[in-house]
Amino acid sequence: MVSVLKRSLAIITLLIIGYWLAQGLAGVPFGQDRMLVGKYYLENVKAQTGAVNAVTAIVVNYRGFDTLGEVTVLFIASTGVGALLWRRKKRRTAKTEGSVVLRTGSELLFPFILMFGTYIFIHGHLTPGGGFPGGATIATAFLILYMAFVDYEIPHRLFEPLEGLAGMGYVLVGLIGLAIGSYFLFDWIWQTWHWGAANLGRLFSGGFIPIIYTLIGLKVGTELSGIVDSMLTEEVRE
Amino acid sequence: MNCIPCAEYIIVALMIGSAILAVEWRDLLAAAVGMAAVSLFASILFFLLQAPDVAMTEAAIGAALSGAVVIFAIKRTQRFETEEEERPGWWIRW
């Protein structure tokens, strides 16, 4: 009886909140261009950043410091998972091997998924996507290997230094901008040298966006694979 | 009749249905699959709304990785919230 009362109270509260939100949002025009800053970005993005994809240019170039914060949030989340699940000695303890279909399919698909993830983050300034989706795609490739084979583990010796180096590389690119230009994450490749101005819309353009997105892609990929690894390995007692 | 809007309505209805099922199912493994289905439909919806980069992120993180992490957490704890729920759900009992 109490649970029914509680549940109906929750549903009524939800309906009231939903009605209130719908009333508030009904007057907001969806998809219409009302903001001046968006128009400014769309008009100046090619000249100021050299990237064809405006979304990526905003994320990495205009709002680069926010992206550094986003990478830091992911790093803290990964550190938290690692600290909570830390054991002195960890190993895979899975017992059932994946089926024949899963094993063969994962062996077949693994290089292609890796290649697609790399493609997503290298071409971030040209096509939709960027470091975060590319890194997540790479992590799913390792997740498939973890599910298919009972004794597979990621190469820890390669991944953990790579994660740290990629994070430091991002800050380093920003600091070089601070040294050359006037502010942190100044786009020195595009603004001072105009490198890649001749082939706008091809791979070698877009200032430091491909460099930063490659670093972010490596960092996100290694970090998310590390989270999967620490969730799947368990303590072994001698 | 232009049918892209009605496809969007169908996908929103599927999202709401999967979300209700993810909350209602007592079997946590099934609930995790329902949660991943919400993300999958959301990623299709993002693609139809012309945001392919958000769609890719949603498909990779929402459907694959977060679902996998929740399933690993279930594997490390328990599959049902309480002991007496460890029998087939209503969709099997019926």
Side-chain angles (χ1 to χ4, degrees), chain A residues 167-191:
Chain A
M168 282 198 286
Y170 191 173
V171 179
L172 197 70
V173 169
L175 285 178
I176 293 172
L178 185 65
I180 293 177
S182 46
Y183 52 89
F184 187 62
L185 286 170
F186 173 80
D187 190 351
W188 38 283
I189 297 177
W190 178 259
Q191 303 250 1

Side-chain angles (χ1 to χ4, degrees), chain A residues 24-59:
Chain A
L25 291 176
V28 178
F30 183 69
Q32 280 180 35
D33 201 12
R34 286 282 178 88
M35 286 202 300
L36 292 171
V37 64
K39 205 178 282 172
Y40 174 81
Y41 284 147
L42 285 180
E43 278 165 4
N44 295 305
V45 66
K46 263 191 200 169
Q48 287 181 348
T49 68
V52 189
N53 183 2
V55 177
T56 312
I58 292 168
V59 168

